[in-house]
Amino acid sequence: MKKEKRKVVVGLIGKTNTGKTTFFNAATLGAAEVSTYPFTTKEPNYGTAHVVTLCVCREFNVQDNPRNSKCIDGWRHIPIELIDLPGLIKGAWAGKGLGNQFLSVASQSDALLHVVDASGSVDEEGRLAEPGTGDPLADYYDIEEELIMWFIKLLERSEDRIIKGLKKGLELPAAMEEVFRGVKVTAQDIKRALEATGLDKKDFENWTPSDDRKFATALREISKPTIVVANKMDLDTAPENFRRLRDNLVDKIVVPCSAEAELILRRAEQRGLIKYVPGEEKFEIINESALTDKQKWALEIIRRKVLDEYMRTGVQFALNVAVFKLLKMSAVYPVYDVKKLSDHKGNILPDVYLMPEGATVEDLAREIHSDLAKGILYAVDARTGLRLPASYKLKDRDVLSIVSGRKKT
């Protein structure tokens, strides 16, 4: 029985009015409500976005016909799930605002994009303010504190359960995994956080509140890797704040972004007014006479203030960095026929799978079909013809055929 392919999930977090929903609409071509009052997003929005990587079709000099993704001018667009979460305010971890709902949805994400208003147009409570009067760096730290407090709360209310697991003979990572599994935290994440903080050498029953915070901070970072998206870079007050964010958050990737510019370009491309591929550094006007004066002005502003300054709108770049750099996913192409690079029906390079770092041929087989991994024998590398063992660790751009006692794909 074939299983549905698991999608990578990226969540958008941040205060209200920072442009999360505009980013979501730009990435998914959705139509989620955008407004200027706090908590417009009362329910999470779910949509399909794409990450983009160089397709192997050019290397093999074939014309592909993808099924689970798209190939545009030699670039493979691979679907992921994007979640636009309700905005946060101080005290969200304790249920203030829409905090509980936000945190429960954030737990579904593999990586997070923390959207801040680089123009400083949002006050401390998430209300729109005069550009330059808000502090995006303070906003960033406010939201980070909420996430850390969320992890601390999960830990503290489950201490008895963890201790009970330890008394049954479980190692600490395994005992904690029972508590954190529901928020997409693995035993390996927990082990890394314990080692990073030195708490792997301390008896859990003797942890102090300071230890809880140290561990929660490390676990939050390891299990929910995050990029900072400095949005509204098209506004004059944004460049200075972007520099502050970049200079202060030295251990973070800070991406300059104009979600509104991306949304305008994608809508214009959708209507056939321009030629534009998400993530590219330029667009081409197809029929200038079809544009209104206002549309011409908007496109010129985007060209001058966004693309000429930052080479891209930042939306596609942020998604790509989250999946390929933070999560270290590899794009792997399983085929049936290694000579024709096709599936059973003759489709060339039909599917691509995003596989996590360290994933093996056996993991890929399990992802493709529930029975395939049970009888797995080996895989064949399409480039070299070599047999690869089931334990072979997949690399980005691998093209291979899995041979099983039950099936071959």
Side-chain angles (χ1 to χ4, degrees):
M1 176 180 164
K2 190 166 183 177
K3 62 183 280 189
E4 184 179 350
K5 188 168 79 70
R6 176 186 58 84
K7 279 186 181 177
V8 176
V9 181
V10 174
L12 297 171
I13 65 171
K15 285 192 172 179
T16 59
N17 284 320
T18 57
K20 298 190 311 301
T21 302
T22 301
F23 186 109
F24 174 85
N25 286 338
T28 65
L29 278 182
E33 182 185 1
V34 178
S35 181
T36 58
Y37 59 85
F39 305 117
T40 303
T41 306
K42 296 182 175 65
E43 298 289 337
N45 297 308
Y46 295 84
T48 298
H50 293 80
V51 290
V52 182
T53 185
L54 190 64
C55 185
V56 297
C57 65
R58 288 184 175 178
E59 176 190 345
F60 286 94
N61 195 29
V62 295
Q63 179 62 55
D64 56 355
N65 48 324
R67 297 185 312 167
N68 74 347
S69 50
K70 297 182 291 185
C71 186
I72 302 174
D73 296 332
W75 292 90
R76 189 62 75 111
H77 294 241
I78 308 170
I80 63 169
E81 185 169 17
L82 190 64
I83 311 178
D84 173 28
L85 308 170
L88 275 182
I89 57 174
K90 284 185 177 182
W93 67 272
K96 188 176 179 182
L98 298 171
N100 286 333
Q101 183 181 351
F102 156 79
L103 295 171
S104 66
V105 177
S107 68
Q108 301 172 30
S109 302
D110 298 301
L112 299 172
L113 300 182
H114 186 161
V115 182
V116 296
D117 182 346
S119 72
S121 303
V122 175
D123 68 15
E124 189 175 340
E125 297 300 319
R127 295 182 295 258
L128 284 180
E130 187 70 23
T133 59
D135 186 348
L137 188 60
D139 291 344
Y140 167 82
Y141 286 122
D142 284 348
I143 302 306
E144 277 300 303
E145 179 65 13
E146 295 304 319
L147 288 167
I148 292 167
M149 288 302 299
W150 173 44
F151 273 90
I152 291 174
K153 183 180 178 183
L154 282 173
L155 179 65
E156 289 180 345
R157 74 185 184 198
S158 303
E159 284 181 358
D160 291 344
R161 188 175 163 194
I162 294 169
I163 292 170
K164 188 179 293 185
L166 293 172
K167 288 180 177 177
K168 287 181 179 178
L170 294 177
E171 296 291 329
L172 185 54
M176 283 186 165
E177 186 181 31
E178 292 296 313
V179 171
F180 288 104
R181 182 181 289 123
V183 294
K184 272 195 172 181
V185 173
T186 66
Q188 184 59 32
D189 293 332
I190 294 166
K191 187 172 184 289
R192 287 175 58 199
L194 289 169
E195 291 171 350
T197 55
L199 290 168
D200 55 329
K201 300 177 178 65
K202 187 172 182 178
D203 187 347
F204 177 72
E205 293 190 59
N206 294 326
W207 280 21
T208 65
S210 175
D211 292 330
D212 289 351
R213 171 170 278 274
K214 277 198 304 184
F215 173 74
T217 302
L219 187 62
R220 171 266 175 279
E221 183 59 38
I222 290 167
S223 66
K224 305 292 177 188
T226 303
I227 288 174
V228 180
V229 177
N231 195 27
K232 305 185 186 179
M233 290 300 298
D234 49 300
L235 299 183
D236 292 338
T237 50
E240 178 58 34
N241 279 325
F242 170 68
R243 284 189 285 272
R244 286 181 61 229
L245 288 163
R246 185 190 57 197
D247 293 346
N248 282 275
L249 305 177
V250 292
D251 59 339
K252 291 289 181 187
I253 299 172
V254 183
V255 175
C257 175
S258 174
E260 186 172 14
E262 178 73 10
L263 182 58
I264 290 170
L265 291 176
R266 293 206 65 185
R267 295 290 191 217
E269 191 274 334
Q270 195 178 37
R271 294 178 186 127
L273 298 173
I274 66 171
K275 181 180 178 183
Y276 173 68
V277 177
E280 288 198 346
E281 300 174 12
K282 61 184 184 302
F283 61 86
E284 178 186 339
I285 295 175
I286 295 174
N287 183 5
E288 190 163 353
S289 63
L291 294 170
T292 66
D293 289 342
K294 187 175 181 180
Q295 288 170 332
K296 290 177 186 177
W297 173 82
L299 290 172
E300 180 55 32
I301 289 293
I302 290 170
R303 194 194 307 273
R304 181 165 52 85
K305 287 198 163 189
V306 179
L307 300 181
D308 287 353
E309 287 291 325
Y310 305 105
M311 296 190 296
R312 56 180 75 90
T313 68
V315 171
Q316 189 62 60
F317 184 70
L319 293 170
N320 288 350
V321 171
V323 171
F324 294 118
K325 188 172 180 66
L326 286 192
L327 295 177
K328 300 179 181 177
M329 306 294 280
S330 294
V332 181
Y333 300 77
V335 297
Y336 173 73
D337 188 320
V338 290
K339 289 187 169 54
K340 296 179 179 178
L341 304 179
S342 66
D343 63 11
H344 293 272
K345 297 179 180 179
N347 296 302
I348 307 298
L349 296 172
D351 295 326
V352 60
Y353 283 75
L354 290 172
M355 300 300 294
E357 184 180 29
T360 64
V361 166
E362 186 174 3
D363 294 325
L364 177 62
R366 195 175 295 113
E367 191 74 15
I368 294 170
H369 200 287
S370 58
D371 287 335
L372 191 61
K374 295 177 184 177
I376 189 169
L377 300 173
Y378 55 87
V380 179
D381 188 308
R383 290 182 176 87
T384 64
L386 293 175
R387 289 189 177 187
L388 307 172
S391 60
Y392 166 80
K393 290 187 178 180
L394 299 166
K395 300 192 301 294
D396 190 46
R397 298 170 60 78
D398 269 343
V399 183
L400 45 82
S401 176
I402 297 174
V403 180
S404 170
R406 300 190 177 204
K407 286 178 181 263
K408 179 181 174 185
T409 185

